[in-house]
């Protein structure tokens, strides 16, 4: 369930080769290769500016955010599902970002190896009845925790998500901040990117599709790992 520097790191924003590169050629079928890929990358970068605005819709919220650690690694490109009956957090931030797969990843498809995500950060969070699953092709790796008297807890918890739902409530929310000026979770996003932050967040019936998660501290009481025919 990733801290983003003010300037995107090399690991998170691939270089955009200049025009006139030898890769801007047509293959035998007449299909432009390098130019098309750079076009997709530019479109995704532009979309980052608008993504968080959609999060204001009623009933939608995010679990966690790109906190002090940040996604510094190449993602696998395999999404995983996270659910919880309830999330409570203090110090909440949220903004748009891009995650990148390793060069040559078989999961890249026509994405150019990039995934447009909603990056969320919570300074301190607790989750009740946490479930996480990833489809391995015919079977699911299933992780459950926090189903007893002790809840899952995390510090500097961050997630990069493409889908999320739940019933959310915020205290002292600010919408429309520049991501580079955020203060609630100790994270500063890219300059010029739309963002929002709040003192507290509560999400009931949380469900997310994530591509990356990091945490400074992550405690999973009652942890159970297994394989299952169905996911969360």
């Amino acid at each position: 369930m990733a801290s983003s520097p003010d300037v995107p790191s090399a690991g998170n924003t691939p270089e955009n080769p200049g025009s006139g590169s030898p890769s801007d050629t047509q293959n035998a079928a007449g299909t432009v290769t390098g130019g098309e890929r750079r076009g997709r990358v530019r479109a995704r970068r532009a979309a980052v500016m608008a993504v968080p605005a959609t999060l204001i819709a009623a009933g939608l919220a995010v679990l966690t955010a790109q906190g002090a650690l940040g996604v510094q690694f190449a993602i696998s490109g395999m999404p995983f599902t996270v659910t919880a009956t309830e999330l409570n957090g203090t110090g909440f931030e949220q903004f748009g970002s891009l995650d990148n797969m390793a060069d040559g990843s078989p999961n890249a498809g026509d994405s150019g190896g990039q995934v447009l995500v909603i990056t969320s950060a919570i300074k301190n969070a607790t989750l009740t009845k946490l479930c996480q699953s990833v489809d391995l092709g015919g079977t699911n790796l299933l992780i459950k925790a926090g189903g007893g008297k002790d809840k899952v807890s995390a510090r500097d918890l961050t997630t990069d998500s493409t889908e999320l739902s739940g019933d959310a409530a915020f205290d002292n929310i600010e919408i429309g901040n520049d991501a580079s000026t955020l203060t609630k979770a100790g994270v500063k996003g890219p300059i010029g990117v739309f963002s929002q932050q709040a003192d507290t967040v509560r999400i009931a019936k949380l469900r997310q599709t994530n591509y990356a998660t990091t945490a400074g501290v992550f405690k999973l009481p009652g942890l159970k790992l297994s394989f299952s025919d169905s996911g969360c």
Side-chain angles (χ1 to χ4, degrees):
M1 294 193 205
S3 125
S4 292
D6 291 345
V7 179
S9 66
N12 281 330
T13 306
E15 295 181 357
N16 186 11
S19 61
S21 166
S23 61
D24 286 328
T25 58
Q26 292 187 336
N27 59 23
T31 302
V32 176
T33 57
E36 284 186 353
R37 173 164 179 168
R38 287 200 297 277
R40 289 195 298 268
V41 169
R42 284 194 295 270
R44 290 189 190 92
R45 286 174 178 164
V48 166
M49 310 293 288
V51 168
T54 65
L55 306 182
I56 307 168
L60 293 182
V62 174
L63 169 59
T64 51
Q66 187 156 341
L69 294 180
V71 170
Q72 302 295 341
F73 51 84
I75 63 169
S76 69
M78 297 177 64
F80 55 96
T81 299
V82 174
T83 65
T85 57
E86 184 175 279
L87 161 77
N88 285 279
T90 59
F92 173 80
E93 300 175 357
Q94 195 171 69
F95 51 89
S97 188
L98 289 170
D99 282 351
N100 295 277
M101 303 176 205
D103 290 342
S105 172
N107 299 319
D110 62 356
S111 70
Q114 288 189 321
V115 180
L116 179 64
V117 294
I118 303 157
T119 294
S120 307
I122 296 179
K123 187 63 178 178
N124 293 286
T126 60
L127 300 99
T128 304
K129 294 184 179 179
L130 173 71
C131 179
Q132 177 177 302
S133 63
V134 57
D135 188 347
L136 301 177
T139 190
N140 291 270
L141 176 61
L142 196 65
I143 296 175
K144 293 185 176 182
K149 63 180 182 65
D150 295 323
K151 300 178 181 180
V152 171
S153 62
R155 186 178 72 239
D156 295 326
L157 181 63
T158 76
T159 59
D160 284 1
S161 311
T162 54
E163 295 182 13
L164 53 99
S165 63
D167 298 324
F170 303 91
D171 286 334
N172 297 321
I173 190 168
E174 301 172 1
I175 300 171
N177 311 62
D178 187 292
S180 68
T181 67
L182 296 175
T183 60
K184 302 295 185 180
V187 179
K188 293 186 183 299
I191 190 169
V193 172
F194 185 101
S195 68
Q196 61 184 17
Q197 63 177 358
D199 287 345
T200 68
V201 57
R202 177 185 179 275
I203 305 174
K205 295 180 288 187
L206 173 73
R207 186 175 189 87
Q208 290 181 291
T209 300
N210 295 340
Y211 276 85
T213 297
T214 67
V217 175
F218 203 18
K219 296 182 179 180
L220 299 164
L223 173 66
K224 181 180 179 181
L225 186 151
S226 62
F227 290 100
S228 173
D229 291 336
S230 58
C232 297

